[in-house]
Amino acid sequence: MLKTSIGGIALDCCVYNASGPRTNSKNLLVAIGESRAGAVLCKSATLEERKGNPHPRYLETEHGSINSEGLPNKGIDYYVDSAVVDAVVATGKPYILSLSGLSLKNNLAMLDKAKGIEGISAIELNLACPNVPGKPTMAYDFDQMDEVLAAVCEHPACQERPLGVKLAPYFDMPHFDRAAAIVNKYKISFVVCTNTIGNAMLVDAETEEACIAPKGGYGGLGGGYIKQTALANVRAMRERLKDSIDVVGVGGVSNGVDAFELILCGASAVQVGTKHYKEGPVCFTRIAGELEDLMRRKNYSSIEDFRGKLKPFSARKAKPTPTATPPAKKSSSSATNVIVLLQAVFIAVLITLVDKSKLDQLLARFM
Ligand code: DHB
């Protein structure tokens, strides 16, 4: 029911992990592969191992998360090592390598190391990490993005397998236009929309401090905070990209309905980050099951039945939106009616029981 494909790679389940939480080691990657996740995506790798930013660098609230990990990872050699690749491949899930080089030169050097490794099904080039001090988000510098994609797409490692590009969230129509026009120029098989909303801040009013330590408290927002931005980015890119380029949605997927909404906006698959951090790989089983339940209720047998088929608003069919104030519950309004009725009966009984003359005296006092 949840079968899909991204960049021509078949996935049994359209829900899998985002690069980031719980993706840093072989054991964690194998645990994802053994869950219901449709693919296994590793932590964004850099050329050298990195310890990342000081702690605390991740915080979850009831509305989402903020992180500024600063690309802690074991270095490219670890993620392309046959011990890791073979262990993930043994789970039967496609292994996707995430690369986030600190320069074009580093990205090309990492691609040299990925070349010829059969177990790597696809590459996700991350152009949108906002958390390395002093390194601007590449996906916001369109000239640089163009230059990087031109060079990366020529690399033999990207001829051997599909290349995907993880983009930053955009907030303005000309930026959607520009980003899509650049991606459309190259042999890119999928885009991932979207990375965290960079350089946001959570503040603790009690302690009067920023909630995370790195970069003076600035970090990337994820989870529920960014669902609507992710929906819009998936939709905007789906509307602008060539049909041959798949869109993968990420941002705020907490349940099956969130996954459904991203697919309705055009996603061929969805990634889960914040909930994976919190729940571990069981989140993929839960979210996939909830998505299937919703699809059964709507009589859909495949995600192709509704992928990208978001309808424009229609006033005629308008139903209350989930954020509208819900009507008062029937049970509570009928409970109020019963109370009023009982009060009236009580007063009537009182009046008939009280001596008529006393009642006249009482009334006279107030008249
Ligand atoms: C990190 C954060 C990101 O949003 C990303 O795309 C890559 C790395 C990090 O802080 O480690």
Side-chain angles (χ1 to χ4, degrees), residues 301-315:
S301 53
S302 128
I303 71 164
E304 290 311 307
D305 292 343
F306 59 97
R307 184 174 62 81
K309 295 187 180 165
L310 179 73
K311 291 177 235 169
F313 175 79
S314 147

Side-chain angles (χ1 to χ4, degrees), residues 184-239:
N184 277 334
K185 281 175 26 181
Y186 299 107
K187 195 180 149 283
I188 289 168
S189 302
F190 61 98
V191 297
V192 183
C193 302
T194 162
N195 211 306
T196 53
I197 297 181
N199 299 304
M201 192 170 283
L202 294 189
V203 168
D204 185 330
E206 282 309 309
T207 60
E208 304 180 9
E209 290 175 351
C211 289
I212 55 170
K215 286 183 70 181
Y218 293 97
L221 276 189
Y225 289 118
I226 71 163
K227 188 179 101 171
Q228 290 72 19
T229 298
L231 288 170
N233 274 258
V234 165
R235 177 75 169 160
M237 295 313 279
R238 182 62 286 155
E239 286 176 330

Side-chain angles (χ1 to χ4, degrees), residues 43-44 67-72 100 126 128-131 166 195-196:
K43 174 75 185 168
S44 288
N67 77 76
S68 183
E69 304 216 295
L71 278 168
S100 192
N126 183 359
C129 173
N131 297 339
K166 186 163 184 182
N195 211 306
T196 53

Side-chain angles (χ1 to χ4, degrees), residues 6 9 16-20 23-24 29 39-47 73-82 84-85 88-89 93-101 106-127 152 155 157-158 160-166 190 192 271:
I6 52 167
I9 315 170
Y16 67 102
N17 70 290
S19 176
T23 51
N24 204 10
L29 296 171
V40 180
L41 174 62
C42 70
K43 174 75 185 168
S44 288
T46 52
L47 193 54
N73 76 95
K74 296 185 191 297
I76 184 66
D77 289 332
Y78 180 86
Y79 302 101
V80 299
D81 192 289
S82 60
V84 173
V85 178
V88 175
V89 170
K93 303 291 171 65
Y95 177 46
I96 306 176
L97 181 68
S98 171
L99 301 180
S100 192
N106 285 8
N107 277 322
L108 295 174
M110 287 196 283
L111 288 170
D112 288 342
K113 291 173 186 274
K115 189 171 146 263
I117 299 177
E118 242 178 63
I120 299 171
S121 293
I123 291 171
E124 181 182 294
L125 179 69
N126 183 359
L127 298 183
V152 163
H155 194 283
C158 300
E160 297 169 348
R161 57 179 75 71
L163 172 69
V165 180
K166 186 163 184 182
F190 61 98
V192 183
Q271 298 178 350

Side-chain angles (χ1 to χ4, degrees), residues 135-152:
K135 289 277 173 194
T137 304
M138 217 180 283
Y140 288 137
D141 178 340
F142 290 119
D143 292 335
Q144 198 191 0
M145 176 166 137
D146 200 345
E147 186 193 331
V148 166
L149 290 181
V152 163

